[in-house]
Amino acid sequence: MTIADLWDQKISAFLLSPSQFLATTTSESFLAELLHELRNDKANDQLKILLVSVLLEHPTILCPSSSVGEETALELLSVFSHTPQKSIILKCNVMLAITNVIICTSCLANHTKMAEDWLDLLFQMIQDTNDYRCGLSQQPIRATACECLREMETCSPGLLPQKLEALYLLKQQETTVLHQSYCMLYTLGLKNAIRILTSQKDVTDLEFKSILGGNEGFAWKSNQLRLTLLPINMMVQVPRLPPGLDCKELKSIMSSLLEESYLQTPISQSALLRELVEIVAMVPGLSPTLFKSQLLRLFGTADVSLMHATLFMKDTFTDSLFSAEDENFLLKRLVGTAQHPLLRVPEKLFYMECILHFPENRPISSSGEESLPVLVTPRLAVSLHPTVFNDSATMLCRLNLLCLVHLEADEGEADKGISYLFEHIMALLKIIDNDGSRDVVVISFRALFIFLMHFSGMEELSEKVIDKLCDMYSRHSRLAPNLIGLANRIQEHLDDPVWSVKLLIGLQKCIMEMPPPQLTIHNLSWHLKVLKRVAKEGQITQRNTIYLLLNILINSNLCERGNWQVGNAVLAVCRNLLEHPSIDQVFIELADLLQYISVHYDGMDIKDHARFYYTLLTNLSWEKRTGVLAKGLDGGRAKERSHSAIMAESEGIASNLTVHKTNRHVLQLIKVQEKASQRSSESSELLETTGEAENWLEVYQGQFQTPGFGSEVTLRYNLTHAKDTDPLFDKVFTICLHFELKDSNYAKVNDIHVPCVFRDRKPPVVKVKLKPFQPYPTTLCVSAIFTTQDGRSWHSRLPDVSVSFPEIFLPLPLPPNTSCEFKEQVFDCIWEAAASGNPDKSAISLFCFKTADESLADLIKTHFQGYLITDQQSKRLWKVLFFLPPMCHVLLKITQAEDAIQVSIATDNWELLPFVNSYLQNITDHCSTTVTDG
């Protein structure tokens, strides 16, 4: 595989998912590789263009700061300088990349040295007018330089005002195809310069003329306004210069630009016209009639961008530029173009939108609501009537427009037009009735929705539509989702829900009158969806629905078959019935239905839900019952649901019955620092110190055979909230902490129950009891199940809890009043046993380190105080004994020699020596250490 192929794979992976790609590397290293390959003379231009594309697409990912952006731009400038003159395409791409990096990494906004140098270089490039110096082959570089300057002026307006005279001269001198690039650059600089002037007070003629004759450096300090595009509603919000300024020179420039505009491409013309319109709007001394000579050409254009610029011009100047005849002609032109056979569908839709939102000279309504222009009459729009042969988008757009037209027309014309539209809707429904495809069904119902939005108040037409829909549903029950969606959308958009209620009543009646052979399992699922929606309407009586459900269950084998989906659908209807405001009228019937399901349905999940609903029905008032049922629906969607919640019909209940999963840590365990004496009382039984030490030791060792003796280590933690948690979890209740071990060195840890944790209260202390099989460090994986105030249960993982080696240490189980002499005797006995014991288990070792006297005293007090057996400072001798359950000991003799501290180690489990060594190294890490095993 070649280097080019490798880079192609790399860059494809990066562009596909930058975050996933950078998970295996860093942006700094990837950027360094990329720049290094760009400097490689052996790499071809095609590969380098591919590399540069990364900086064009994602500059801020590879250059996260202004300093990195400036360094990258300098590297790219070096690449640009060393690129051969014949590599025109590569040089243009590098220029675009430099500009992109400078803008996106705020180098331009921060006025860095690199940005200034790049602007100067770009301006030098465009000064080679007509390619006198570099030749025709370098023309694309000048074109790119113009685009880069234009982009920088757009993103940081006000850079070019002091260069306007030079730009104007360059524009006049340029006679190649790049003339339009110079025109666009000059016009943008001129507009921004005037915009800056509008923010000043008391602008004089001298100041106004000075902007046209500017030929100095770039205006870095004048672009503090961070200008944006002028508002669309320009006559209301556009800033304006004071009247009375001498605008002869500016008017001459504007006329010259307009005369030359026809030489440009349509897109450039459109952009130029918008800039000039904004300039005229800001300068009271300029009349909109400047554009009068352009109107005839613009009215006849077939280009979408030029038509859009024309409408922008009309919206800005209205009757100051467009007469009533111009307005009427332009609207007719739009109507004709909207149905031109040679135009593509998106272009036709654009012209339809232009008709619908046509900027009138004298609009009747200034509100933001959709309203039809007065000039769009039924006679003008007669050719735009929709047909079944139109594509879907065109048909819907035409239907909406014609509905508005006939809604506002005179009575005679309106009746004829509405009848035509109604026949069109009925034709669409007939296509559905003849087994139309899914796409046809969707489009037809959208058309029906548009029609009803305007004419649902006409009772005769509404009744006919409802009858037709019910008749269709009796043959095609698969239309249930479409009919339910139509009823819902009509109810949402109309203040009066009468039409939706009538449709649902008609569908309910249709289902009741269906013969039994049509109530198959497949069709029944659709009917239950409709009845579920019907049960939501408080204006519809539900007695017939309950009788139908009970009749189906009794007279069929549905209960014996125990189909979960059908049972769940029946329960969904019952759930909505529980919330029906007139439930008291059918209380007994609904209770009988729920009781029948809970007894006879062959499915435990369905039985449980039916029993739950029956309990709600018979024990709670309507207000409390609706509150309980609504609670689950307001809680949001859970990440994981039980099987009962897979179907949408039971989502409400499942939300309460399901344990949800949190996205991040909610709680955490923080270790409570405690002394060894505090732990011993709960961790071990205390043996009485009667008799000699040898006798006590025999009793002590004998206790190891007693199950549970000294086998537990109790660790204390504060249960607190994690950082940056959702306020939903500020108060959590009935917390159950569950622990899992990552190894087999400990017995299973029992769950711990905590009543509550409040963020603004003192955290509760949790005691975790560990029973070691081997006293090694370990890690606990902790999770919690808890309840929030809204009644939902949550499962959340806690940060893992590490149990270090010293946390397992316990003192010997001696009473607090035991004499030092007795303790020392016990220590010596255990030491001798370890020193002379089984070599396969016992071991002796030596650990040395250097430290000052004061440091040694602090170290012993800090780490060994609770385990200290002997403290003979005069002899420079200390004896320390650690008990590690279930039956291990570590003994230390600390002596201070002339040149070092010696720690003699004895243990009855040699496998603990590495952990002891690490522990001693950690607590003496500021000293030089030497370890010798013996």
Side-chain angles (χ1 to χ4, degrees):
M1 185 177 290
T2 64
I3 295 177
D5 293 333
L6 289 172
W7 272 108
D8 185 53
Q9 289 183 0
K10 266 189 179 182
I11 292 175
S12 298
F14 176 81
L15 295 177
L16 181 64
S17 176
S19 59
Q20 186 175 350
F21 179 84
L22 293 177
T24 58
T25 183
T26 62
S27 59
E28 294 83 1
S29 61
F30 182 56
L31 178 62
E33 291 179 30
L34 190 146
L35 294 175
H36 180 269
E37 191 64 25
L38 280 173
R39 292 190 294 267
N40 184 4
D41 296 335
K42 296 181 181 179
N44 58 41
D45 287 0
Q46 186 176 2
L47 173 59
K48 291 186 176 182
I49 291 172
L50 181 65
L51 297 173
V52 169
S53 67
V54 176
L55 291 167
L56 289 172
E57 292 291 336
H58 300 287
T60 53
I61 293 178
L62 297 182
C63 306
S65 65
S66 180
S67 58
V68 177
E70 188 172 12
E71 292 173 4
T72 304
L74 284 169
E75 291 285 346
L76 291 173
L77 183 57
S78 175
V79 172
F80 175 78
S81 303
H82 291 89
T83 302
Q85 293 294 329
K86 62 180 181 179
S87 302
I88 300 297
I89 299 177
L90 174 58
K91 289 178 79 74
C92 291
N93 276 273
V94 174
M95 290 171 65
L96 293 172
I98 294 173
T99 305
N100 200 32
V101 169
I102 287 175
I103 293 173
C104 294
T105 60
S106 301
C107 291
L108 183 63
N110 297 334
H111 307 164
T112 61
K113 179 73 165 51
M114 177 61 208
E116 295 183 21
D117 294 343
W118 182 240
L119 271 173
D120 291 333
L121 182 58
L122 290 175
F123 203 79
Q124 290 175 20
M125 292 179 189
I126 68 172
Q127 288 178 336
D128 181 25
T129 54
N130 301 311
D131 306 302
Y132 286 137
R133 288 200 307 268
C134 300
L136 185 63
S137 63
Q138 302 297 306
Q139 191 177 91
I141 293 181
R142 282 200 302 130
T144 305
C146 287
E147 290 303 314
C148 290
L149 282 171
R150 188 173 168 213
E151 189 68 20
M152 296 175 84
E153 172 66 19
T154 301
C155 296
S156 187
L159 289 173
L160 298 179
Q162 295 181 8
K163 293 280 190 181
L164 286 181
E165 183 179 11
L167 287 173
Y168 186 77
L169 292 175
L170 293 174
K171 177 186 77 70
Q172 294 296 95
Q173 294 169 10
E174 186 65 38
T175 57
T176 69
V177 293
L178 296 188
H179 180 79
Q180 73 176 10
S181 298
Y182 284 82
C183 280
M184 295 302 301
L185 184 59
Y186 173 77
T187 308
L188 178 62
L190 178 62
K191 184 196 78 171
N192 288 341
I194 293 175
R195 176 66 191 272
I196 291 173
L197 275 184
T198 60
S199 64
Q200 301 179 14
K201 296 181 179 179
D202 304 324
V203 179
T204 63
D205 282 332
L206 182 62
E207 291 175 326
F208 184 58
K209 291 180 179 179
S210 66
I211 64 169
L212 302 177
N215 194 12
E216 303 173 9
F218 293 102
W220 288 102
K221 296 182 179 179
S222 64
N223 62 332
Q224 301 298 317
L225 296 177
R226 294 290 181 267
L227 305 179
T228 57
L229 292 175
L230 292 179
I232 296 300
N233 193 3
M234 296 177 60
M235 297 309 294
V236 177
Q237 304 176 20
V238 65
R240 296 170 67 86
L241 289 173
L245 296 175
D246 186 2
C247 301
K248 290 181 180 179
E249 186 176 357
L250 179 59
K251 184 177 181 181
S252 174
I253 293 172
M254 296 281 292
S255 299
S256 173
L257 291 170
L258 285 171
E259 289 173 5
E260 298 169 356
S261 65
Y262 75 95
L263 298 173
Q264 301 178 15
T265 62
I267 293 178
S268 295
Q269 285 187 58
S270 174
L272 177 69
L273 286 171
R274 292 183 70 94
E275 305 281 13
L276 296 180
V277 167
E278 293 176 9
I279 291 173
V280 172
M282 289 188 291
V283 183
L286 294 179
S287 171
T289 54
L290 278 171
F291 300 100
K292 197 71 176 178
S293 60
Q294 307 294 320
L295 290 186
L296 184 60
R297 177 170 64 89
L298 294 174
F299 283 172
T301 184
D303 186 82
V304 169
S305 59
L306 280 177
M307 180 56 71
H308 194 274
T310 306
L311 294 171
F312 176 73
M313 192 185 303
K314 187 178 188 314
D315 186 45
T316 304
F317 300 125
T318 62
D319 56 357
S320 300
L321 177 61
F322 291 82
S323 64
E325 292 77 10
D326 293 335
E327 185 178 50
N328 196 31
F329 178 81
L330 181 58
L331 192 55
K332 288 181 179 179
R333 171 72 176 164
L334 291 173
V335 172
T337 314
Q339 52 188 318
H340 199 286
L342 297 182
L343 291 181
R344 297 172 299 156
V345 171
E347 294 170 339
K348 293 179 182 179
L349 295 177
F350 165 75
Y351 288 115
M352 291 289 294
E353 288 298 317
C354 291
I355 297 170
L356 187 58
H357 303 284
F358 185 75
E360 298 177 277
N361 286 349
R362 292 288 183 269
I364 294 178
S365 174
S366 60
S367 64
E369 296 181 1
E370 188 174 69
S371 59
L372 197 69
V374 176
L375 295 176
V376 182
T377 60
R379 180 170 298 181
L380 179 66
V382 67
S383 59
L384 295 178
H385 275 88
T387 69
V388 294
F389 303 107
N390 295 136
D391 63 274
S392 58
T394 301
M395 187 268 289
L396 294 175
C397 192
R398 286 189 175 190
L399 178 63
N400 183 50
L401 178 65
L402 268 296
C403 284
L404 290 170
V405 169
H406 295 303
L407 192 64
E408 299 179 6
D410 295 335
E411 187 173 346
E413 291 181 330
D415 291 342
K416 186 185 296 184
I418 294 172
S419 298
Y420 177 87
L421 296 178
F422 178 75
E423 291 174 3
H424 174 71
I425 295 297
M426 298 305 286
L428 293 176
L429 296 180
K430 188 172 183 181
I431 294 174
I432 297 176
D433 204 9
N434 293 328
D435 292 326
S437 65
R438 180 182 180 278
D439 291 340
V440 172
V441 172
V442 172
I443 297 303
S444 300
F445 271 89
R446 287 180 180 175
L448 179 57
F449 170 75
I450 293 173
F451 180 83
L452 292 171
M453 282 294 295
H454 297 97
F455 304 116
S456 63
M458 302 180 71
E459 292 188 9
E460 183 180 353
L461 296 181
S462 296
E463 293 293 340
K464 289 182 179 179
V465 170
I466 291 174
D467 292 342
K468 179 63 177 177
L469 291 175
C470 292
D471 181 57
M472 288 169 52
Y473 180 73
S474 65
R475 291 185 296 275
H476 308 286
S477 58
R478 62 183 173 86
L479 296 177
N482 306 93
L483 292 166
I484 294 170
L486 178 65
N488 291 340
R489 299 294 84 76
I490 291 293
Q491 202 166 50
E492 287 175 6
H493 289 82
L494 294 180
D495 296 332
D496 189 359
V498 172
W499 190 88
S500 295
V501 173
K502 287 182 178 179
L503 173 64
L504 294 172
I505 291 174
L507 293 174
Q508 183 193 39
K509 182 179 179 182
C510 176
I511 296 172
M512 299 301 147
E513 295 174 352
M514 281 185 181
Q518 290 191 17
L519 297 177
T520 62
I521 289 290
H522 176 71
N523 290 338
L524 183 60
S525 63
W526 295 121
H527 301 329
L528 291 174
K529 285 181 180 292
V530 173
L531 294 176
K532 173 193 170 186
R533 177 62 183 87
V534 170
K536 286 185 176 181
E537 290 298 330
Q539 304 175 36
I540 303 177
T541 179
Q542 304 296 325
R543 191 180 303 275
N544 291 336
T545 297
I546 298 174
Y547 284 155
L548 174 68
L549 295 178
L550 195 55
N551 186 42
I552 290 174
L553 292 175
I554 293 174
N555 298 312
S556 69
N557 63 345
L558 282 178
C559 290
E560 289 78 8
R561 294 176 65 177
N563 186 293
W564 183 85
Q565 290 182 326
V566 174
N568 204 279
V570 172
L571 288 175
V573 180
C574 296
R575 185 193 187 285
N576 286 347
L577 290 172
L578 288 172
E579 298 183 84
H580 199 277
S582 59
I583 187 64
D584 292 342
Q585 300 176 8
V586 290
F587 181 90
I588 297 176
E589 291 85 350
L590 181 57
D592 291 342
L593 174 61
L594 291 171
Q595 194 171 37
Y596 186 87
I597 296 173
S598 65
V599 172
H600 295 93
Y601 207 90
D602 189 9
M604 188 57 64
D605 184 59
I606 304 301
K607 283 184 176 181
D608 289 344
H609 278 78
R611 206 171 289 117
F612 173 64
Y613 287 159
Y614 182 82
T615 303
L616 292 179
L617 176 66
T618 55
N619 290 275
L620 295 180
S621 64
W622 180 83
E623 292 79 7
K624 291 182 179 180
R625 186 167 59 246
T626 54
V628 170
L629 294 173
K631 198 169 187 179
L633 296 177
D634 295 337
R637 182 175 296 174
K639 297 295 181 186
E640 294 183 2
R641 296 190 183 278
S642 65
H643 185 57
S644 299
I646 294 175
M647 298 294 289
E649 286 79 1
S650 60
E651 278 188 4
I653 297 176
S655 185
N656 278 344
L657 300 180
T658 301
V659 177
H660 310 286
K661 219 174 213 180
T662 61
N663 294 326
R664 58 175 70 181
H665 299 310
V666 173
L667 302 171
Q668 60 183 349
L669 290 173
I670 305 296
K671 184 73 174 67
V672 176
Q673 299 300 325
E674 55 186 349
K675 298 179 181 179
S677 59
Q678 294 175 318
R679 296 169 54 193
S680 62
S681 61
E682 292 188 15
S683 301
S684 306
E685 296 181 35
L686 301 180
L687 300 180
E688 294 297 327
T689 57
T690 57
E692 297 295 327
E694 291 84 354
N695 298 331
W696 182 89
L697 194 59
E698 289 179 4
V699 175
Y700 169 65
Q701 291 174 342
Q703 290 292 332
F704 286 146
Q705 307 304 321
T706 303
F709 171 78
S711 62
E712 288 187 346
V713 178
T714 302
L715 303 177
R716 292 176 174 84
Y717 297 91
N718 283 327
L719 181 60
T720 67
H721 283 85
K723 294 181 179 179
D724 303 325
T725 56
D726 193 299
L728 170 68
F729 304 114
D730 284 351
K731 294 182 179 182
V732 295
F733 305 88
T734 59
I735 304 105
C736 176
L737 297 176
H738 179 71
F739 300 85
E740 293 181 3
L741 292 156
K742 289 190 174 182
D743 51 53
S744 58
N745 295 324
Y746 289 79
K748 180 181 178 182
V749 182
N750 294 327
D751 292 349
I752 298 176
H753 299 273
V754 181
C756 60
V757 177
F758 293 174
R759 184 183 292 277
D760 55 353
R761 293 186 186 177
K762 184 179 178 180
V765 175
V766 174
K767 296 179 182 179
V768 180
K769 294 185 178 182
L770 300 178
K771 184 178 181 180
F773 298 137
Q774 296 292 340
Y776 301 150
T778 189
T779 300
L780 299 175
C781 299
V782 190
S783 61
I785 294 179
F786 54 83
T787 305
T788 48
Q789 282 185 294
D790 57 5
R792 288 187 293 168
S793 297
W794 292 85
H795 177 273
S796 174
R797 296 203 64 84
L798 278 67
D800 290 350
V801 175
S802 297
V803 180
S804 61
F805 184 58
E807 289 184 277
I808 313 169
F809 296 168
L810 293 175
L812 271 179
L814 294 169
N817 58 352
T818 304
S819 66
C820 294
E821 183 180 356
F822 188 87
K823 290 181 181 179
E824 191 167 358
Q825 291 175 5
V826 173
F827 180 90
D828 293 338
C829 290
I830 299 177
W831 183 281
E832 290 175 6
S836 60
N838 186 351
D840 293 337
K841 294 185 178 181
S842 305
I844 301 293
S845 184
L846 181 66
F847 181 89
C848 300
F849 66 97
K850 292 181 179 181
T851 186
D853 292 347
E854 297 81 3
S855 300
L856 178 59
D858 292 339
L859 184 144
I860 290 173
K861 181 178 180 181
T862 302
H863 297 284
F864 304 139
Q865 184 67 41
Y867 313 98
L868 205 58
I869 301 297
T870 301
D871 185 359
Q872 299 178 2
Q873 296 189 19
S874 59
K875 296 181 181 181
R876 299 297 183 184
L877 175 64
W878 295 266
K879 295 180 180 180
V880 178
L881 192 154
F882 300 120
F883 167 55
L884 290 83
M887 54 182 67
C888 298
H889 303 83
V890 174
L891 298 87
L892 308 178
K893 284 184 181 179
I894 305 172
T895 57
Q896 187 172 13
E898 292 182 1
D899 56 345
I901 307 298
Q902 296 180 355
V903 182
S904 299
I905 308 169
T907 178
D908 47 15
N909 184 352
W910 66 268
E911 294 179 351
L912 296 178
L913 281 180
F915 300 110
V916 176
N917 183 58
S918 299
Y919 169 64
L920 293 176
Q921 281 184 334
N922 288 336
I923 65 176
T924 61
D925 58 358
H926 61 286
C927 307
S928 59
T929 62
T930 304
V931 180
T932 306
D933 292 333

